[in-house]
């Protein structure tokens, strides 16, 4: 590989300078982080699942007013107002639509017809095959070491499997933080890397300092995978809350969940009726206890408690294992520049020893 290897199918498809993506993280990937990433020459993605439709529209306009570079919006394909969000993406000329859950064939077609690049995130080969067959332009594939909801197969196994299975560009996610990782992903056949935890830990990220400090202090073994928060495998920092949830039996978890639900109901203004309705819908077809349902309905609020309010005691701090390797808070410009410089040095080192 030569330096030309750093111009990839991803940079060409999206029109960014570097094959690096900042992923959509709820409450974290707002206009400030996305603008800083875009101006650094990488692809920034706004997280919209934790925004209202109006907030999404103004966030998109804010980014557009601060950069001419392309950027993306991450949304849930199963959200009741997904069509409205798609309309904003199309009307406002957003370059990339990213999805946490596989979008339908119709949604992909609608976006592509409007000239939007569609890049769903997947955690398994069969999901990559499905969205590729439906016309997705590229996929982000997340290995099990990645932060937030995640699968059980490591990036080093999943990535080559997906690269071999589909003929659209594949972006590698889960466990990346530096230029060596970028070169390794390209060697596997990926068209770039996507990073969540690394971009959360920048000076441009709006996450409160006390929360960033918890991530910086974490060792790899302080990052755990639990199903106790919302019934799905969720990677996060091991905190007092997570430990208590892991230890507690059904009765204690229910009491704790009700207490949290009551606190968050007060803050979010949701009615008990709406929470019960959401809970019943969530419980259907899934093997969840009522306490998990209550906590799942509150997961966005648990994340908000940390990421916005700085409550390290109360909130959930989603994190990839790579948090254990990160000990500084560069700006997005410094980070992207460093990753690209390391990648070039690594490539030169490989060609000298080859
Ligand atoms: C704090 C946090 C919040 C996240 N929220 C979302 C989200 O709302 N939607 C989504 O598709 N992925 C979400 N993720 C997953 C990331 O987008 C990304 O795929 C993952 O962090 C990649 O692994 P890494 O952390 O090892 O870089 C989140 C991850 C973190 C760390």
């Amino acid at each position: 590989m030569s330096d030309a290897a750093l111009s990839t199918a991803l940079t060409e498809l999206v029109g960014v300078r570097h094959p690096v993506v900042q992923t959509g993280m709820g409450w974290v990937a707002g206009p400030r982080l996305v603008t800083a990433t875009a101006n650094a020459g990488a692809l920034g993605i706004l997280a919209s699942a934790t925004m209202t439709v109006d907030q999404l529209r103004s966030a998109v306009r804010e980014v557009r007013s601060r950069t001419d570079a392309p950027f993306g919006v991450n949304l849930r394909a199963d959200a009741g107002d997904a069509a409205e969000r798609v309309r904003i993406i199309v009307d406002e000329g957003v370059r990339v639509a990213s999805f946490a859950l596989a979008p339908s064939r119709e949604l992909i077609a609608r976006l592509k017809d409007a000239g939007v690049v569609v890049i769903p995130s997947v955690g398994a080969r069969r999901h990559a095959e499905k969205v590729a067959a439906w016309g997705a332009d590229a996929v982000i594939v997340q290995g099990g070491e990645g932060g937030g909801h995640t699968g059980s197969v490591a990036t080093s196994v999943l990535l080559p499997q997906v690269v071999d299975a589909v003929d659209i560009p594949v972006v590698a996610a889960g466990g990346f933080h530096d230029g060596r990782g970028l070169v390794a992903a390209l060697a596997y056949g990926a068209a770039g890397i996507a990073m969540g935890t690394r971009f959360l830990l920048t000076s441009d990220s709006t996450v409160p300092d006390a929360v960033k400090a918890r991530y910086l202090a974490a060792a790899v073994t302080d990052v755990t995978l639990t199903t106790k928060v919302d019934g799905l495998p969720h990677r996060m920092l091991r905190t007092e809350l997570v430990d208590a949830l892991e230890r507690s039996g059904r009765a204690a978890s229910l009491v704790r969940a009700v207490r949290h639900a009551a606190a968050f109901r007060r803050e979010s203004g949701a009615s008990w009726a709406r929470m019960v309705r959401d809970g019943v819908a969530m419980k259907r077809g899934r093997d969840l206890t009522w306490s998990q349902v209550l906590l799942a309905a509150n997961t966005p609020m648990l994340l908000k408690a940390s990421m916005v309010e700085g409550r390290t005691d109360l909130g959930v701090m989603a994190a990839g294992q790579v948090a254990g390797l990160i000990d500084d808070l560069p700006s997005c410009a410094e980070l992207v520049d460093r990753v690209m410089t390391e990648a070039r040095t690594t490539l030169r080192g490989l060609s000298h020893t080859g």
Side-chain angles (χ1 to χ4, degrees):
M1 278 193 284
S2 69
D3 281 14
L6 300 173
S7 292
T8 70
L10 174 70
T11 56
E12 202 165 305
L13 177 68
V14 177
V16 287
R17 289 202 305 280
H18 307 303
V20 173
V21 178
Q22 163 258 303
T23 60
M25 293 171 278
W27 304 113
V28 177
R32 184 164 128 191
L33 186 64
V34 171
T35 306
T37 304
N39 284 330
L43 177 67
I45 298 181
L46 276 171
S48 93
T50 45
M51 293 177 188
T52 64
V53 168
D54 287 342
Q55 284 168 341
L56 172 60
R57 190 179 293 105
S58 60
V60 166
R61 289 183 178 167
E62 190 177 334
V63 177
R64 272 208 0 230
S65 72
R66 295 208 216 147
T67 182
D68 292 329
F71 64 96
V73 167
N74 176 266
L75 64 159
R76 291 184 61 114
D78 61 345
D81 53 9
E84 222 172 317
R85 289 166 191 266
V86 165
R87 197 171 320 122
I88 293 173
I89 290 173
V90 171
D91 290 350
E92 301 289 334
V94 173
R95 184 84 186 109
V96 173
S98 131
F99 290 92
L101 294 168
S104 65
R105 192 193 289 265
E106 294 69 35
L107 207 55
I108 295 177
R110 162 117 206 273
L111 286 158
K112 286 189 67 171
D113 284 348
V116 180
V117 175
V118 180
I119 311 185
S121 287
V122 298
R125 182 186 63 183
R126 64 178 197 287
H127 296 149
E129 288 170 338
K130 189 170 76 177
V131 294
W134 287 353
D137 296 289
V139 282
I140 293 177
V141 50
Q142 179 173 331
E145 55 270 65
H149 289 120
T150 200
S152 56
V153 182
T155 303
S156 57
V157 174
L158 186 61
L159 177 59
Q161 195 188 24
V162 172
V163 166
D164 288 345
V166 298
D167 51 16
I168 55 175
V170 176
V171 181
F176 294 98
H177 75 294
D178 66 4
R180 289 173 303 178
L182 171 56
V183 172
L186 297 177
Y188 273 116
I193 53 170
M195 303 187 288
T197 306
R198 179 63 274 195
F199 275 102
L200 183 156
L201 293 170
T202 58
S203 56
D204 293 306
S205 128
T206 52
V207 170
D209 289 344
V211 172
K212 286 181 182 170
R214 289 292 289 261
Y215 280 80
L216 293 178
V220 173
T221 46
D222 295 325
V223 181
T224 190
L225 186 69
T226 181
T227 56
K228 290 287 178 125
V229 168
D230 58 9
L232 297 170
H234 205 157
R235 195 173 286 292
M236 60 187 67
L237 294 189
R238 184 195 306 280
T239 57
E240 302 76 13
L241 170 71
V242 175
D243 270 343
L245 287 171
E246 288 281 342
R247 272 196 318 267
S248 53
R250 277 186 169 215
S253 333
L254 187 58
V255 169
R256 182 182 297 274
V258 170
R259 225 178 29 232
H260 277 293
F264 286 128
R265 194 187 69 82
R266 274 196 305 277
E267 281 185 34
S268 68
S271 68
W272 280 111
R274 202 202 91 197
M275 287 176 66
V276 169
R277 229 177 15 251
D278 287 354
V280 170
M282 200 175 301
K283 203 167 185 311
R284 202 173 295 136
R286 282 167 68 189
D287 185 23
L288 298 180
T289 64
W290 270 108
S291 44
Q292 281 173 328
V293 168
L294 270 179
L295 280 176
N298 286 313
T299 299
M301 300 307 287
L302 286 168
L303 205 54
K304 183 183 183 202
S306 302
M307 300 303 154
V308 180
E309 288 146 21
R311 296 288 303 268
T312 53
D313 55 334
L314 186 66
V316 157
M317 288 175 269
Q321 287 182 325
V322 74
L325 275 59
I326 296 172
D327 56 12
D328 63 354
L329 298 169
S331 67
C332 288
E334 286 163 346
L335 172 64
V336 173
D337 194 48
R338 186 203 295 174
V339 167
M340 296 310 294
T341 302
E342 285 168 356
R344 287 186 202 101
T345 307
T346 306
L347 284 170
R348 271 196 290 281
L350 287 172
S351 62
H352 283 151
T353 54

